[in-house]
């Protein structure tokens, strides 16, 4: 068809088509008519190039269509929530994004050799639970691990397949959240614990780890001593090793090979593995290499279940694109602060106030690697100029003796002993007549003052950065009273972010070596 179209463009009148070649007039030189007339059709070289380009384009379209359909058909999906509600639709391209990453311990199908079906009931328990939080500006990623032995409250959940509703439960291991009502119940549980709203989830099974580690050519891990765990069959020499396939899976599954053989040592080992994997993918430019990306995407999607909002190849590629340029020093791996549970010393519970501090910082989108860093504005956002409000003039304050001013600290935070830190700060500022007492919990911190103590109240409020609007006169108060609320649970700077020391286990930039469990160390 291309040839006919070009001939119509290059010929004129009745001379179009092949007819003039065999119907020359006898009045002119035959050679001139045959060899000096206007050329017909495109040159041979152009025909060849056009043909090659056409074939290449058709091949590319077929290739792209094949991979799109293949990857799309690989993906399994499930509802995001199980509590009857739903989150707002996330902006996957540029909004802040939180993805709950789960590892299932189900032994069905390809995973049957890792146990028997009775080992996991219903939807199976979550073997790994990590919340990945991608900042809106794509400069930071926090990965927060929840120990599987953590006792939590699980909300009421409805099984999307059977329609059965399961009542809320208290003091249950977090890895049981999805066993009855599906993955959405695990999402709802994390939402309730953290006060966040998870946007998506990704759940992978045992086979995903093996195939992914093979696809990247192995992942480097390090351990302090040679170790053998008969349960997971992990066997590693001391120092650094490259693991893939079954050994990579054993490294992530083992519950006894690291530290004291508990869940926290296992979490640190998993985070070390993911850090190493992140560095390898980043250093080798995998996210910018289409053939390698297709290979990894094929492996991952075959063994992945996601929510409906994430169940499309373009969406998965969008998230991959957001992560490809991130600084690995800003990929922070964190574990939820825990302590032995009071109800069962073999289980864990969230340690307070450290747990609340972590979740509050996450809700404020704080950089966990640098909590003091200012919040980064959204991409494209232009800060509006602000005009400082005029400060009302006040008469010059008369000097007073700080050591004679009564200052009381009322602890309304709900955290026993919280007032002590504030009292110490008050005394350090020179107000030595300080006292403390427990009070009814309130939401907002206020500095109250009695008659003739307004200037003292202002100075005390400045110590902690409590706003002027929260400095109030009060009958029945002699001197100054700092009433601490639940909005001031820690630290000595009101409105600041208080985080437990060393909350970040490591960043993806760090190469760490795991401590072997002394009980499983073997001779090389």
């Amino acid at each position: 068809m291309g040839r006919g179209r070009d001939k119509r463009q290059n010929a004129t009148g009745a001379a179009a088509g092949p007819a003039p070649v065999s119907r020359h007039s006898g009045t002119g030189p035959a050679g001139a008519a045959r060899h000096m007339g206007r050329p017909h059709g495109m040159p041979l070289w152009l025909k060849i190039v056009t043909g090659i380009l056409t074939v290449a384009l058709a091949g590319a379209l077929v290739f792209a269509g094949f991979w799109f359909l293949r990857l799309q058909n690989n993906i399994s999906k499930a509802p995001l929530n199980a509590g009857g509600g739903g989150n707002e639709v996330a902006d996957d391209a540029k909004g802040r994004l939180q993805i709950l990453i789960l590892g299932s311990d189900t032994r069905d199908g390809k995973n049957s050799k890792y146990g028997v079906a009775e080992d996991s009931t219903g939807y199976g328990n979550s073997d790994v639970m990590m919340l990945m939080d991608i900042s809106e500006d794509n400069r930071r990623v926090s990965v927060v691990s929840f120990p599987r032995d953590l006792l939590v409250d699980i909300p009421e959940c409805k099984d999307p397949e059977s329609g059965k509703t399961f009542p809320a439960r208290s003091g249950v291991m977090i890895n049981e959240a999805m066993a009855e009502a599906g993955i959405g119940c695990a999402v709802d549980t994390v939402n309730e614990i953290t006060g966040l709203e998870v946007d998506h989830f990704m759940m992978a099974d045992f086979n995903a780890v093996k195939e992914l580690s093979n696809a990247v050519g192995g992942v480097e891990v390090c351990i302090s001593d040679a170790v053998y765990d008969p349960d997971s069959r992990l066997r590693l020499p001391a120092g650094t090793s490259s693991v893939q396939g079954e050994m990579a899976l054993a490294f992530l599954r083992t519950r006894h090979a690291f530290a004291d053989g508990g869940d926290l040592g296992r979490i640190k080992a998993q985070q070390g593995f993911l850090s190493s994997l992140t560095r390898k993918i980043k250093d080798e430019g995998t996210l910018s290499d289409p053939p390698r990306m297709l290979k990894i995407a094929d492996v991952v999607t075959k063994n992945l279940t996601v929510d409906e909002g994430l169940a499309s190849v373009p969406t998965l590629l969008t998230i991959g694109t957001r992560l490809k340029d991130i600084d690995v020093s800003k990929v922070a791996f964190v574990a939820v602060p825990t302590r032995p549970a009071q109800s069962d010393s073999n289980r864990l519970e969230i340690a307070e106030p450290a747990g609340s501090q972590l979740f509050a910082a996450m809700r404020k989108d704080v950089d966990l690697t640098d909590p003091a860093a200012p919040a980064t504005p959204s991409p494209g956002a232009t800060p509006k100029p602000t005009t400082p409000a005029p400060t009302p003039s006040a008469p010059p304050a008369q000097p007073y003796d700080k050591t004679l001013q009564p200052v009381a600290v009322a602890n309304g935070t709900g955290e026993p002993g919280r007032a002590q830190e504030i009292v110490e700060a008050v005394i350090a500022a020179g107000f030595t007549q300080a006292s403390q007492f427990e009070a009814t919990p309130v939401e907002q911190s206020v500095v109250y003052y009695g008659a003739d103590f307004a200037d003292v109240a202002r100075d005390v409020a400045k110590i902690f950065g409590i706003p002027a609007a929260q400095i109030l006169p009060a009958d029945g108060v002699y001197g100054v009273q700092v009433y601490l609320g639940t909005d001031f649970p820690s630290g000595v700077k009101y409105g600041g972010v208080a985080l437990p020391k060393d909350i970040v286990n490591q960043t993806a930039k760090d190469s760490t070596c795991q401590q072997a469990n002394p009980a499983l160390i073997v001779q090389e």
Side-chain angles (χ1 to χ4, degrees), residues 274-306:
L274 291 177
S275 294
S276 181
L277 176 62
T278 301
R279 290 194 302 276
K280 182 165 189 174
I281 289 176
K282 178 79 172 177
D283 293 344
E284 296 180 355
T286 301
L287 294 177
S288 301
D289 185 340
R292 296 194 70 189
M293 271 296 294
L294 285 175
K295 182 180 179 181
I296 291 175
D298 191 35
V299 165
V300 171
T301 53
K302 282 179 180 177
N303 301 282
L304 194 67
T305 301
V306 300

Side-chain angles (χ1 to χ4, degrees), residues 214-291:
N214 286 331
V216 299
V219 177
E220 284 195 349
V221 297
C222 179
I223 192 166
S224 63
D225 301 272
V227 68
Y228 173 63
D229 176 16
D231 291 338
S232 66
R233 299 180 184 177
L234 175 70
R235 184 186 294 276
L236 287 176
T240 301
S241 304
S242 179
V243 295
Q244 62 186 92
E246 292 289 349
M247 198 56 64
L249 178 59
F251 185 88
L252 294 175
R253 286 187 63 217
T254 180
R255 299 201 64 198
H256 308 295
F258 309 113
D260 61 356
D263 209 21
L264 299 181
R266 179 176 182 252
I267 282 177
K268 287 190 175 182
Q270 291 170 345
Q271 293 177 341
F273 181 96
L274 291 177
S275 294
S276 181
L277 176 62
T278 301
R279 290 194 302 276
K280 182 165 189 174
I281 289 176
K282 178 79 172 177
D283 293 344
E284 296 180 355
T286 301
L287 294 177
S288 301
D289 185 340

